[in-house]
Amino acid sequence: MKRILKAALASLLLLLTLTACGPGSALQDGYYTAQAAQFSHGWKEFVTIMVKGGEVVSVEYNAENASGFIKSWDNAYMQTMLHSNGTYPNEYTRYYARQLLEGQGEQPIDALSGASSSHSTFQKLAAAVLELARQGNSQIIIVDTAS
C-alpha cells in the first residue's frame, strides 16, 4: 500500500512539474515587446503586451516606418489598403490584438481576409512576446518574421 501511495505521489509531483514548465506556464507581470527584424513594405511590425496578475491585460499590435510613424495612423495607406484588400491597419491590428487578449495566448488566432501576411507575422511576434512574459524577460526581442 505504501508503495502505491509513493508511486501516486511521485506521479503527481512529476505532473505538476511538467505542467509548470509547459506552454501554459504562468506569465510574469510587466511589459514585453517583440519586434520584427526587418521592414516589410516600409513597415516594421511589433507586439507589446502588459501582464498584470499573471494575465495579459493589454495588447498593442502595430508597425512603424523608419521615421517612427505608426502605420495605423497613416490615412493615405489606410484608404489604399481598404480599397485593394478590404481591410486596413487600424482594423486588423485591433482584430488580432483582441484575439490574443481574449484567448490569453492559449487560443489560435483567426486570420482576417485581406491581412493574411500580417496574420503570419502577428503569430510569430505573439509567440515570442508570450515566451518573454513566461520568462519575465523585459528586453525587446527581435524576431525574424520573414521565414
Side-chain angles (χ1 to χ4, degrees):
M1 182 69 173
K2 284 186 179 182
R3 193 156 77 202
I4 293 173
L5 185 57
K6 285 182 183 180
L9 185 57
S11 296
L12 180 61
L13 288 174
L14 178 62
L15 178 64
L16 290 173
T17 302
L18 292 175
T19 302
C21 297
S25 296
L27 302 177
Q28 305 298 311
D29 290 359
Y31 290 91
Y32 305 96
T33 299
Q35 182 179 48
Q38 59 281 337
F39 286 91
S40 175
H41 305 289
W43 302 98
K44 188 180 283 193
E45 293 177 281
F46 63 90
V47 173
T48 299
I49 64 171
M50 178 186 168
V51 176
K52 187 172 183 180
E55 293 186 3
V56 178
V57 295
S58 174
V59 179
E60 180 183 4
Y61 170 46
N62 225 308
E64 62 184 6
N65 64 17
S67 66
F69 189 72
I70 300 297
K71 188 176 191 177
S72 63
W73 299 347
D74 189 333
N75 287 327
Y77 188 90
M78 177 184 73
Q79 290 298 322
T80 301
M81 188 171 176
L82 178 60
H83 294 298
S84 65
N85 293 31
T87 189
Y88 53 94
N90 204 19
E91 179 181 47
Y92 71 76
T93 57
R94 290 174 189 224
Y95 177 79
Y96 293 141
R98 183 178 65 248
Q99 286 188 69
L100 178 59
L101 180 64
E102 291 173 357
Q104 293 293 303
E106 301 293 326
Q107 303 295 320
I109 305 295
D110 294 329
L112 183 64
S113 180
S116 57
S117 175
S118 292
H119 175 257
S120 174
T121 299
F122 180 78
Q123 288 185 303
K124 293 172 186 173
L125 293 173
V129 81
L130 288 167
E131 184 57 32
L132 287 177
R134 286 184 195 97
Q135 297 171 6
N137 179 355
S138 61
Q139 293 182 344
I140 296 173
I141 189 168
I142 305 301
V143 179
D144 180 9
T145 58
S147 56

